[in-house]
């Protein structure tokens, strides 16, 4: 069960607790009974553990078999001490004495802000860049888009900060991150929405920023 909890890279054990709760919500055989963060853990190391209780009813006449185990997690999923032990059950799930007060617990509530490019942001950026005067500054473009930005509707959602750059009469606009990036450019050929390979939007590469939008088209293609 622990092997299947991974959803995306995270350094937060509470994420795994929420995924475990969702995965066992309809189960009476596997229950999340504990969450243990490791304070001070660094990226790439295990940053916490989850404890589970397993109940197996062999037949309707036998006593149920109850056991507890814990699994550690790192950025990439369930963690093991030795490389290559991912397929070894005892390395993935370590036996644990069942606490006398063990019971299914609710996972920590996620209160983090979810940054998004709201629906309608692309159309708004295209409109503003199309109508911007030749003398418009980056601050003016950002101010108008910020003032008119559609409000996200999802729980805990907030719009990414819009950013713009002006160079040699061209306007570049960016909003988002490598996973959700809106890039718009106005040059002598008009206004265009740019679709850049995700690998080029990563930190350390071109990034999701207005300077990227102003680059020549050949720079925006993946070399792979």
């Amino acid at each position: 069960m622990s092997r299947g909890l991974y959803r995306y890279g995270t350094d937060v054990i509470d994420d795994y607790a929420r995924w475990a709760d969702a995965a066992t919500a309809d189960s009476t055989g596997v229950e999340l009974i504990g969450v243990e963060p490791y304070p001070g853990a660094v990226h790439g190391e295990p940053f916490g553990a989850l404890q589970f209780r397993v109940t197996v009813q062999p037949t309707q006449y036998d006593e149920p078999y109850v056991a507890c185990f814990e699994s550690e997690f790192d950025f990439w999923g369930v963690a093991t001490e030795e490389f290559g032990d991912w397929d070894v059950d005892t390395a993935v799930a370590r036996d644990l004495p069942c606490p006398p007060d063990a019971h299914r617990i609710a996972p920590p509530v996620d209160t983090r802000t979810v940054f998004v490019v709201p629906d309608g942001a692309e159309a708004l950026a295209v409109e503003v860049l199309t109508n911007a005067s030749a003398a418009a500054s980056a601050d003016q473009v950002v101010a108008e888009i910020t003032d008119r930005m559609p409000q996200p509707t999802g729980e805990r959602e907030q719009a990414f900060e819009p950013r713009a750059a002006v160079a040699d009469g061209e306007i570049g606009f960016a909003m988002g991150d490598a996973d959700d990036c809106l890039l718009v450019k106005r040059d002598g050929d008009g206004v265009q929405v740019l679709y850049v390979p995700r690998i080029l939007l990563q930190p350390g590469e071109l990034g999701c920023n207005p300077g990227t939008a102003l680059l020549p088209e050949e720079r925006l293609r993946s070399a792979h």
Side-chain angles (χ1 to χ4, degrees), residues 47-69:
F47 51 73
L50 300 181
Q51 290 88 39
F52 299 91
R53 179 172 61 185
V54 178
T55 303
V56 178
Q57 183 74 50
T59 72
Q60 66 181 98
Y61 302 108
D62 294 329
E63 289 294 320
Y65 171 78
V66 179
C68 293
F69 70 92

Side-chain angles (χ1 to χ4, degrees), residues 10-11 41-47 73-77 79-80:
T10 179
D11 283 318
V42 301
H43 177 72
E45 296 180 349
F47 51 73
F73 295 87
D74 59 23
F75 183 83
W76 299 277
T80 58

Side-chain angles (χ1 to χ4, degrees), residues 134-194:
S137 68
D139 288 344
Q140 289 172 327
V141 171
V142 168
E144 181 174 355
I145 290 177
T146 300
D147 185 59
R148 299 173 53 192
M149 182 65 65
Q151 293 302 305
T153 57
E155 183 181 1
R156 297 180 285 110
E157 287 185 347
Q158 179 177 322
F160 280 108
E161 178 185 358
R163 292 160 292 152
V166 175
D168 300 324
E170 298 182 353
I171 303 174
F173 174 82
M175 182 179 184
D177 60 14
D179 295 319
D180 187 11
C181 180
L182 172 61
L183 291 174
V184 186
K185 177 181 182 178
R186 189 181 84 174
D187 57 16
D189 296 325
V191 176
Q192 54 187 313
V193 178
L194 305 174

